[in-house]
Amino acid sequence: MPHPGLAVDQPIASLLAAESTNWSSEFGELAVDLSLVVLLALVVRLLSLPLLRRAQQATRERAALSASGAPRASGAPRAAAGPVVAEVVACVVFAAGLEAAMSAIRNYGFELLRSPVAFADTEGMAMELDLNSDDVMVRALVIGAALLALWLLFAHLSRRALLTSGMPPAVAADDRVRRQGLLRLGLFAVVGALVLPMGVLLAGAVFQAVALLSARRLPAPAESAGTTAVLPHPAHPAPAPATAPATAYVPAPAPAFAPVRVPHQPLNGHEPRRIGGYLLLGRIGAGGMGTVYLARREGAATEVALKTINLELLDDPDLLRRFQRESEVLAMVPGAYTARVLDTGVDAGRPFLAMELLDGRPLDAHLRELGPVRSAEALRALALALAVALSGVHRLGLVHRDLKPANIMLTSAGPRLLDFGIAALVDGTRLTMTGAGPGTLTYMAPEQFGEERVGTAADVWAWACCVVCAAHGASPFAATSTGGVIRRIVDTGPEPSALAAVHALDPALAAVVTRALTPDPAARPADGSALLALLTDAPQEDLRAEITRGWNTLRL
């Protein structure tokens, strides 16, 4: 006689087995349906990629204009909204078509995917599939929440990449742009949870993933609509740009975002409010010699960096001569990856220098905060841009003599070489006192420690040190003491691990760097032009494109 319990246990076991079989079948259908939605969304997104890229470029231009805070110049084109509207319409049409297709196919997978996260018809699905309604509800919520989170994550990442890759930091940091991004993300979350079917959320995640990859490869906008040029003061016209030889490298105009927003402090009560026709808006920085102000020409919108000597030092003729020398040198240097001088003059006996306001930060600050450059393309772009800058400097008969990471500004438009305050004409007299050689110790060439004449080869040496520092994080001649640094420079040579860091990223660049660190100045590339010839033989347009392409791989 059979055991009394078997008559009950066998049907229960049969039911559990049947339910398990049902779930296996339904989840198999769900996996297939998810794959079909992903494949269809990917195909449609790739076919509409040109429309997406136009919409992204228009969004960048509008964000840059919003961040500038400047009125649109008369006659300047507006940032087009048409591509953005077309992209939104295309996404709505695709979502409607996808929902219609899912409604036409009756199975567990599409039954789930055509329901919103918060209003999934779990009762109907449970009855149709002969399953427990609570189990269906839990699984629907888990799947829906995962798809919604995936869509929101990719939407956030794609917008962040759109506003940071190849864009000035001021754009992503702008409060209005941030608020717009948060509002957009909140709207996505509400609509995604309450309105959109789960299948549309999955397709949206695919769309946003493709948008993320596209945003990282977009070039910076060609121009911003709100830009106004700084007008020279009638009493102090801006110096005429130096005429370069026909072979000089002339880069494309950098994208103009006005005004660039840089950190600054409010003015003190004793500080002036106007200098030479410029309104002082704040203090960017100050040193023992002078102060740099954030300023704007009266009647103009573009902001500038205005540098002037501190009042207590105006009676020092040596400092006045040095400041005047810096103004002259900067006015002569071409604008190829160097900071441009916009205006110079003297106001009530106080000399001033107005320069373009650069976004970004110095290379040394970048290395402290983010570490060494890990992109081979970005490192080569930095090396090429600095070589281009030096070739323009040296062609004018100038030697920088203080090339170091603190004097290299990393901007959205590329590196910029700064601070020519101690530069001297190659055939002129030294401005510093005998025995007080200019420069920073770990970037000084061996000849700067002796009595021999310092020429353009010393800048080539410093260029190599800066490239190594960018890849390694420190100068190849860094040591724990001054004596140790000097011994490395004149005797033992650079740190092998520092050179290895460059070689690991770009062996060809490492070979040029090694040659530029030859102790004998005559064995190094003679100047910036010779250095550039060793690095590349590309035409000007190709060189400019290579620098821009490589620079866009660097996270600023």
Side-chain angles (χ1 to χ4, degrees):
M1 180 177 178
H3 193 280
L6 290 179
V8 178
D9 292 343
Q10 285 177 346
I12 293 177
S14 299
L15 288 173
L16 290 175
E19 185 173 351
S20 176
T21 301
N22 283 347
W23 274 116
S24 298
S25 174
E26 268 69 48
F27 275 116
E29 288 182 0
L30 177 60
V32 172
D33 294 342
L34 288 171
S35 301
L36 288 175
V37 171
V38 168
L39 181 61
L40 179 61
L42 185 60
V43 170
V44 173
R45 180 74 285 179
L46 292 178
L47 290 176
S48 62
L49 191 58
L51 175 61
L52 169 68
R53 292 179 69 84
R54 287 196 295 272
Q56 287 180 321
Q57 197 66 34
T59 300
R60 281 190 166 198
E61 293 171 1
R62 293 170 71 87
L65 180 60
S66 175
S68 73
R72 190 172 65 94
S74 177
R78 294 181 182 273
V84 178
V85 174
E87 166 69 8
V88 172
V89 171
C91 290
V92 171
V93 170
F94 172 73
L98 179 61
E99 185 173 5
M102 291 188 298
S103 299
I105 302 175
R106 307 292 294 182
N107 63 27
Y108 169 75
F110 284 128
E111 187 75 18
L112 177 65
L113 291 177
R114 71 186 184 91
S115 302
V117 176
F119 302 111
D121 185 14
T122 55
E123 293 289 341
M125 283 188 287
M127 292 178 61
E128 183 175 339
L129 300 171
D130 195 23
L131 298 172
N132 183 284
S133 61
D134 290 338
D135 290 343
V136 174
M137 181 178 66
V138 170
R139 286 166 172 77
L141 288 176
V142 169
I143 294 171
L147 294 177
L148 178 61
L150 193 65
W151 182 49
L152 294 177
L153 175 64
F154 279 127
H156 169 68
L157 293 178
S158 64
R159 180 173 176 82
R160 186 174 69 176
L162 189 64
L163 300 180
T164 55
S165 298
M167 296 285 284
V171 175
D174 182 71
D175 289 338
R176 283 170 294 184
V177 174
R178 282 182 173 179
R179 285 195 297 269
Q180 291 170 4
L182 291 175
L183 180 62
R184 173 178 179 267
L185 201 62
L187 181 62
F188 277 16
V190 173
V191 173
L194 303 180
V195 179
L196 296 182
M198 298 184 200
V200 173
L201 293 181
L202 177 60
V206 174
F207 272 39
Q208 294 294 347
V210 175
L212 172 61
L213 297 176
S214 172
R216 289 177 173 173
R217 290 165 173 77
L218 279 176
E223 60 182 9
S224 179
T227 304
T228 310
V230 173
L231 302 176
H233 192 276
H236 311 295
T243 303
T247 57
Y249 177 87
V250 181
F257 298 92
V260 173
R261 300 193 175 184
V262 299
H264 60 276
Q265 298 175 337
L267 300 173
N268 294 326
H270 66 275
E271 290 182 298
R273 269 37 184 182
R274 286 177 174 80
I275 294 180
Y278 290 89
L279 297 174
L280 304 188
L281 308 177
R283 188 186 335 101
I284 297 176
M289 173 182 167
T291 304
V292 180
Y293 293 104
L294 178 67
R296 184 177 68 239
R297 163 71 70 188
E298 294 183 85
T302 302
E303 295 173 351
V304 301
L306 190 140
K307 185 175 182 179
T308 185
I309 289 181
N310 294 336
L311 283 175
E312 62 270 19
L313 302 176
L314 290 178
D315 293 332
D316 188 330
D318 291 334
L319 285 177
L320 287 173
R321 185 168 64 250
R322 178 179 170 184
F323 189 90
Q324 180 64 29
R325 177 62 185 157
E326 180 175 8
S327 302
E328 294 173 356
V329 169
L330 284 169
M332 295 171 64
V333 172
Y337 301 106
T338 58
R340 290 180 296 129
V341 171
L342 303 174
D343 193 8
T344 61
V346 179
D347 181 21
R350 187 174 193 174
F352 66 88
L353 174 67
M355 301 173 60
E356 65 173 324
L357 192 63
L358 300 174
D359 61 358
R361 56 187 161 186
L363 175 58
D364 60 343
H366 178 90
L367 296 175
R368 282 195 306 271
E369 297 173 20
L370 297 179
V373 174
R374 298 304 183 196
S375 165
E377 295 84 358
L379 183 66
R380 179 168 174 78
L382 174 67
L384 287 171
L386 293 179
V388 168
L390 286 180
S391 68
V393 171
H394 294 164
R395 193 177 292 112
L396 293 173
L398 298 168
V399 184
H400 189 287
R401 303 178 76 192
D402 196 22
L403 178 55
K404 58 185 179 183
N407 285 336
I408 300 170
M409 182 69 79
L410 308 187
T411 78
S412 59
R416 289 290 185 270
L417 187 55
L418 308 178
D419 198 355
F420 294 79
I422 61 172
L425 289 172
V426 173
D427 58 351
T429 58
R430 292 180 60 155
L431 297 179
T432 52
M433 295 183 298
T434 302
T440 301
L441 194 61
T442 51
Y443 298 90
M444 290 172 61
E447 60 268 26
Q448 289 179 276
F449 295 98
E451 295 299 322
E452 57 188 297
R453 182 169 166 268
V454 175
T456 53
D459 283 347
V460 173
W461 173 284
W463 167 89
C465 293
C466 289
V467 172
V468 173
C469 182
H472 178 61
S475 166
F477 300 99
T480 57
S481 66
T482 300
V485 172
I486 296 175
R487 276 194 301 274
R488 277 192 180 280
I489 293 174
V490 301
D491 186 16
T492 59
E495 168 63 37
S497 63
L499 295 181
V502 181
H503 190 274
L505 291 174
D506 190 332
L509 177 60
V512 179
V513 166
T514 301
R515 180 169 173 181
L517 291 177
T518 304
D520 181 6
R524 297 177 216 145
D527 54 21
S529 297
L531 179 61
L532 194 58
L534 284 179
L535 291 169
T536 181
D537 57 357
Q540 292 181 12
E541 290 298 322
D542 293 344
L543 175 58
R544 179 167 59 242
E546 180 181 0
I547 293 174
T548 301
R549 195 165 51 246
W551 196 246
N552 286 338
T553 67
L554 179 64
R555 177 186 165 217
L556 291 175

